[in-house]
Amino acid sequence: MLSESYDPEKGDALAIVDEISQAIIGSDDIGSVAYLILDLAIRHTDAEKGSLMLLDSRGQLYIHSSRGIDHEISREYRLPLGEGIAGKILLEKQPVMVADLQTDPRFEHSDRDRYPTRSFVSCPIIGTEGVLGVLTINDKKNGQPFDESEFRLIKALAAQAGLVLKNAFLVEGYKEKNAYAEEMSRKLIETDLAKTDFLTRLSHELRTPLNSIQGAVYFLKNTQQASDQGRDEFLRIIENEADRLTLVLEKQLGFLREENDRQVIRKTLVPVTQLLKQALDSPLVRNVLGQHQVGVEITPDSLQPNIVGDRVQVNHLFINILVGLAGQLEKGRMIRIQVTEREAVRVEFRCDQILPPHVLEGFFRFRDDYGQGDSDLSVKLYLGRKVAEANGWQLEARNDEQGLLCQLLIPRMAAEMEDAALDMTMGRILEFVSGLLGASTSSLMLRDELSGDLVVRSARGLDEEVVRGTRLRVGERVAGWVAAEGRPLLVEDMDEDPRFDRLCGSLRYSSRSLLSVPVKSRDRVIGVLNLTDKQDNRTFSAKDLKVAQVVVERITSFIQSLKKMSGQSHRDLHKVVASLDSLLAAEMRYTKRNVYYLELVEALMQALQADEKDQELALYAALIYDLGLVLHDRRLLEKKHRLSPLEITALQSHPFTTLELLQDFDGSEEVRQIILHHHENFDGSGYPDGLAGQDIPLISRVLAVVDSYCAMREDRPYRPARSRQEALDALRQGSGTRYDPLIVAQFEGVIQQGHVATD
């Protein structure tokens, strides 16, 4: 153990910090960095528990990483800056060491944190631009208080954490901006296609009436002796065709609105204050403000609420309001913006000038002066109001004693928030699940609350028109049948399965194999997960079905927690989305996909006579238990020479990074325990908690044996692959120390009886 050689008086604290820098230099993931720092702090001080808290966008501390603290407390912990012990330490930016909390006068009147502690060291984590969080270790295992040397070490670790976490935050911000840029690019492509379609339709519809009008005008110009009756006839043609043109334009504008509606139908949670700042930075706004010499500021007390809307559309709304207001004000005037949140989100644009009544009366109307003045700025306010009305918001303006007040009122509707939360997350969930099960085409259908029909909430590999147009009644086609029956459907070969013709009629699928599983909540079907087109032209199997049934349970739990979250202002949904993005990225980079790994897990669980539920859970866990490894520097995994003690510590944190990746998709305690303890040894010499024997979860013990066998059978940078017999001999040697003897014996039987071909 590293703590045995730790001697702060000899300057080892600096050496440890230097080693930390080397260990995490290849990692840009906040989770792996945080867990490594916390693990080092606990190991080198022999503490019972500890936590690394970070500050969220609302100024609240939350526990990002913890050891020895109840998982539920960690998940729900929220502490405003300045409140409680940790909140005060962060506010004052001063590290603290407490020998006995009960007798320490500094915290006599402070609110105690929710987990019990007596002695602790707590240090603020400070980046280049301000406070980031708090690193705390609690209660030494020997019952003694922490000493000055340990205090110096934790301060050094906190200082290092400030540097590396700041870098990780920058990388995370870059990833978010990159994802946003990709989304904007997609929207621009959609808009360009819609514009092309619109212009094509408009050209076609206008050609006939314009030709008729041109012909009538030509006749009237070139026929001097035309009778009154003839002239009246051609004037009627012009009048009728002009009316027709009006109808055509209204029709095409309706089409354009419909295309726009179809593009924004899937809204997201939009950060109001952030988009206001982006609008102020746009070249158009800066240019207009400069020309009219109008200043703008967002008041410091403005909140940062989220609303439901289309990010691009809301950004354009703010740009139009700012440009339109600037055009109405005298030079040297000021616009002050304040964002508040109660029953509704209110965005106030306060101007220090009173407008004449006649200007205010037509403030949001389109006024065309036919080239006599500047009507473009009035169009901006008109367009702003149209966007507000389309979203069910109120945009109004009035004079009061302080000047002009233009305010945007955005009601907070729980149903819309919930819907947006689903749209923001379901695509990522489906992408992750499809990767786990190797499906190229998939869809997640949820039941409409009003009609009960199944509608596609997310799809992968399907045409957008199919997604938009698909709505199934319960009992209709494959997904409807699964919803009606409440049981899954596995079709290995559609051409040979008689059920398929009955369920689909003349409908044909591009794949021969499919898997459709009901998503249930309290025994009620709320949706269906559909998977087709298995990768590498393989067919879905009973094993895939077992995994899928576990996965849909996680989807159900996620949807339920998401519904609760959408109505709670203290939870930041964007953090959940970022977490899912990290999970998806990790799954895509995950390389532990041995072709016979799942077969071995399944055969071993059956040999152990595990029940069906545990067999399903084992297969699911086998797909995800080492995901956290992808967040570590790959050079450590491929290093040919002996790892340093700190490099070993870094790798041993991967169960925690795996849990962090999964925390928002799968927070179940059973999966958490399996992943956390799959590196425990049967004799108690493993990590992270030194569990022994039957205290180690069964599936963790199974994964330890199968993982070791598969690893030994593969080539590694530091050694060639071992033969089947050599691998089995190594397992026998570790039986009773590293591995459960019963599981090793059963596993040997699985291999020798040839249940799974591993050669």
Side-chain angles (χ1 to χ4, degrees):
M1 195 177 202
L2 288 174
S3 58
E4 293 175 358
S5 61
Y6 168 59
D7 185 356
E9 298 301 325
K10 296 181 181 179
D12 283 4
L14 293 177
I16 291 171
V17 171
D18 182 62
E19 278 198 83
I20 293 172
S21 300
Q22 296 301 317
I24 62 180
I25 194 170
S27 176
D28 55 24
D29 178 75
I30 293 173
S32 57
V33 169
Y35 277 112
L36 176 59
I37 290 171
L38 179 62
D39 189 73
L40 287 165
I42 290 174
R43 283 175 181 243
H44 286 285
T45 57
D46 204 29
E48 286 187 352
K49 53 182 174 279
S51 66
L52 193 150
M53 302 182 188
L54 294 178
L55 200 63
D56 68 14
S57 60
R58 297 178 180 273
Q60 292 184 322
L61 281 168
Y62 67 97
I63 296 178
H64 180 281
S65 312
S66 68
R67 294 283 298 275
I69 298 173
D70 183 83
H71 181 54
E72 288 304 313
I73 292 178
S74 295
R75 283 177 61 89
E76 299 300 325
Y77 188 96
R78 290 294 185 277
L79 189 67
L81 183 64
E83 295 186 16
I85 295 173
K88 288 185 177 180
I89 289 171
L90 188 59
L91 183 64
E92 295 171 1
K93 302 181 183 178
Q94 292 296 322
V96 169
M97 181 172 67
V98 173
D100 189 340
L101 184 60
Q102 301 299 324
T103 60
D104 195 308
R106 293 174 295 179
F107 301 102
E108 184 178 357
H109 302 293
S110 297
D111 293 333
R112 304 298 167 88
D113 291 328
R114 278 180 281 176
Y115 56 90
T117 185
R118 180 179 178 182
S119 175
F120 66 87
V121 174
S122 190
C123 296
I125 300 173
I126 302 175
T128 55
E129 298 178 4
V131 295
L132 300 176
V134 178
L135 174 63
T136 302
I137 55 168
N138 308 78
D139 303 320
K140 295 192 70 168
K141 292 178 181 177
N142 61 12
Q144 296 297 312
F146 295 100
D147 58 33
E148 284 294 331
S149 63
E150 291 161 332
F151 190 25
R152 287 196 297 272
L153 174 63
I154 300 305
K155 286 192 288 186
L157 284 172
Q160 185 71 8
L163 296 174
V164 296
L165 286 175
K166 182 62 179 177
N167 178 64
F169 284 135
L170 288 174
V171 172
E172 186 179 74
Y174 169 77
K175 290 178 180 177
E176 288 180 1
K177 288 182 179 179
N178 185 57
Y180 174 65
E182 290 179 356
E183 177 67 11
M184 294 306 100
S185 176
R186 184 186 64 80
K187 287 181 178 290
L188 286 173
I189 293 172
E190 289 180 353
T191 301
D192 189 58
L193 291 172
K195 181 183 72 174
T196 302
D197 196 8
F198 169 75
L199 292 175
T200 302
R201 292 187 184 211
L202 187 63
S203 174
H204 177 76
E205 294 284 352
L206 292 181
R207 188 175 294 115
T208 299
L210 284 175
N211 287 340
S212 298
I213 291 174
Q214 286 176 339
V217 171
Y218 178 84
F219 176 83
L220 293 174
K221 281 184 176 180
N222 293 281
T223 307
Q224 303 296 329
Q225 304 300 324
S227 64
D228 290 342
Q229 182 178 356
R231 286 181 175 275
D232 290 344
E233 180 64 27
F234 280 103
L235 287 173
R236 277 196 299 274
I237 290 174
I238 293 174
E239 183 179 16
N240 290 337
E241 294 302 332
D243 289 341
R244 184 179 174 185
L245 276 175
T246 302
L247 291 173
V248 166
L249 288 173
E250 289 178 353
K251 175 183 175 182
Q252 294 305 319
L253 287 173
F255 161 76
L256 196 60
R257 283 193 295 270
E258 179 185 345
E259 285 297 306
N260 187 55
D261 289 343
R262 290 169 69 182
Q263 288 182 43
V264 303
I265 192 170
R266 296 196 171 180
K267 301 177 181 179
T268 61
L269 291 187
V270 176
V272 174
T273 308
Q274 181 182 332
L275 284 195
L276 278 168
K277 292 176 181 178
Q278 289 181 8
L280 288 172
D281 286 337
S282 73
L284 174 60
V285 171
R286 290 202 307 267
N287 184 48
V288 172
L289 292 175
Q291 287 179 352
H292 290 79
Q293 298 179 24
V294 172
V296 180
E297 68 172 11
I298 300 175
T299 60
D301 59 344
S302 289
L303 301 179
Q304 301 185 40
N306 291 326
I307 60 172
V308 177
D310 179 272
R311 191 182 183 107
V312 175
Q313 192 182 59
V314 175
N315 184 258
H316 288 170
L317 167 63
F318 289 149
I319 289 174
N320 286 332
I321 292 175
L322 289 166
V323 170
L325 286 175
Q328 301 292 339
L329 300 178
E330 300 168 351
K331 290 184 178 181
R333 294 296 185 175
M334 192 76 185
I335 303 173
R336 290 180 173 81
I337 306 172
Q338 184 178 36
V339 183
T340 59
E341 180 183 17
R342 292 184 182 86
E343 293 82 10
V345 173
R346 190 185 303 270
V347 185
E348 295 185 348
F349 300 84
R350 169 71 65 178
C351 309
D352 58 352
Q353 175 186 337
I354 294 177
L355 294 186
H358 71 277
V359 174
L360 200 59
E361 183 180 350
F363 201 62
F364 296 108
R365 296 175 187 167
F366 172 55
R367 301 185 302 278
D368 193 343
D369 53 16
Y370 301 98
Q372 299 302 310
D374 188 5
S375 63
D376 186 55
L377 296 182
S378 69
V379 172
K380 299 296 184 183
L381 291 170
Y382 169 79
L383 292 174
R385 186 161 203 171
K386 286 298 180 184
V387 171
E389 290 174 350
N391 284 278
W393 306 338
Q394 296 178 24
L395 180 61
E396 55 188 22
R398 69 174 187 275
N399 287 322
D400 60 19
E401 295 178 354
Q402 301 177 47
L404 173 67
L405 174 62
C406 177
Q407 67 176 9
L408 177 66
L409 192 65
I410 305 171
R412 297 189 66 86
M413 292 180 280
E416 271 202 344
M417 296 287 284
E418 182 182 308
D419 211 44
L422 284 172
D423 283 335
M424 290 177 70
T425 54
M426 285 300 102
R428 292 166 170 86
I429 294 290
L430 185 64
E431 191 82 11
F432 173 66
V433 171
S434 300
L436 284 185
L437 291 163
S440 300
T441 305
S442 56
S443 66
L444 179 63
M445 308 182 79
L446 296 179
R447 295 184 67 174
D448 184 272
E449 292 288 345
L450 296 177
S451 66
D453 292 346
L454 289 167
V455 295
V456 179
R457 293 309 301 257
S458 182
R460 181 173 183 256
L462 293 177
D463 185 80
E464 188 65 23
E465 290 297 323
V466 173
V467 173
R468 290 171 178 164
T470 300
R471 175 179 284 267
L472 300 179
R473 293 187 297 273
V474 173
E476 184 180 6
R477 289 167 43 182
V478 172
W481 180 88
V482 169
E485 296 292 322
R487 51 195 176 96
L489 177 67
L490 169 63
V491 178
E492 296 185 11
D493 190 334
M494 299 180 189
D495 295 335
E496 302 296 330
D497 196 315
R499 298 173 300 174
F500 197 72
D501 285 333
R502 179 170 56 84
L503 293 173
C504 299
S506 61
L507 182 66
R508 294 287 92 186
Y509 282 69
S510 60
S511 172
R512 295 178 60 190
S513 178
L514 69 81
L515 187 58
S516 190
V517 186
V519 181
K520 295 183 179 181
S521 176
R522 298 188 182 91
D523 294 326
R524 174 180 173 268
V525 175
I526 62 171
V528 177
L529 172 67
N530 303 298
L531 303 165
T532 59
D533 297 319
K534 182 84 169 176
Q535 294 170 0
D536 300 327
N537 294 319
R538 290 177 290 152
T539 61
F540 290 103
S541 64
K543 182 170 70 276
D544 294 316
L545 176 57
K546 290 178 180 179
V547 176
Q549 288 178 306
V550 179
V551 165
V552 295
E553 291 177 3
R554 272 64 195 167
I555 293 175
T556 300
S557 298
F558 180 84
I559 292 173
Q560 290 171 343
S561 63
L562 198 65
K563 289 182 177 181
K564 296 176 183 177
M565 187 188 306
S566 63
Q568 298 176 5
S569 59
H570 71 276
R571 293 301 302 269
D572 191 349
L573 183 64
H574 290 281
K575 279 187 170 47
V576 175
V577 172
S579 173
L580 293 176
D581 284 337
S582 297
L583 175 62
L584 180 57
E587 194 281 329
M588 293 174 69
R589 292 162 54 195
Y590 194 48
T591 57
K592 293 186 69 170
R593 303 188 189 280
N594 193 301
V595 292
Y596 51 81
Y597 192 96
L598 289 183
E599 283 80 357
L600 286 173
V601 170
E602 184 178 38
L604 182 53
M605 291 294 289
Q606 290 173 350
L608 292 167
Q609 298 182 346
D611 61 37
E612 189 70 19
K613 202 70 176 174
D614 280 345
Q615 290 184 40
E616 294 175 357
L617 193 59
L619 288 170
Y620 167 68
L623 291 170
I624 61 172
Y625 73 101
D626 261 348
L627 277 172
L629 282 174
V630 304
L631 302 181
H632 293 271
D633 188 352
R634 188 161 187 83
R635 290 173 296 182
L636 293 181
L637 301 174
E638 298 175 349
K639 193 171 182 180
K640 295 183 179 181
H641 305 295
R642 186 179 182 86
L643 296 178
S644 72
L646 198 68
E647 288 172 333
I648 293 173
T649 299
L651 286 180
Q652 287 180 349
S653 69
H654 78 268
F656 296 100
T657 52
T658 300
L659 292 176
E660 196 225 347
L661 284 170
L662 289 165
Q663 64 182 341
D664 288 303
F665 174 67
D666 189 343
S668 62
E669 188 61 24
E670 55 186 354
V671 171
R672 176 182 172 79
Q673 293 300 317
I674 291 168
I675 292 172
L676 192 60
H677 299 300
H678 75 274
H679 279 293
E680 304 283 5
N681 291 337
F682 198 72
D683 64 359
S685 62
Y687 65 90
D689 295 328
L691 299 185
Q694 303 301 311
D695 290 338
I696 306 170
L698 171 65
I699 296 176
S700 299
R701 286 177 273 146
V702 166
L703 292 177
V705 170
V706 176
D707 182 84
S708 294
Y709 178 82
C710 291
M712 287 186 283
R713 299 284 280 119
E714 295 174 348
D715 287 321
R716 294 297 168 91
Y718 47 86
R719 59 150 177 84
R722 298 184 183 183
S723 68
R724 181 176 68 174
Q725 193 56 50
E726 288 172 334
L728 288 176
D729 289 342
L731 289 178
R732 288 193 209 98
Q733 290 173 8
S735 179
T737 53
R738 288 190 63 184
Y739 313 112
D740 183 332
L742 173 63
I743 293 177
V744 171
Q746 293 291 341
F747 182 77
E748 188 173 0
V750 167
I751 295 297
Q752 292 180 344
Q753 293 170 25
H755 292 307
V756 179
T758 60
D759 291 318

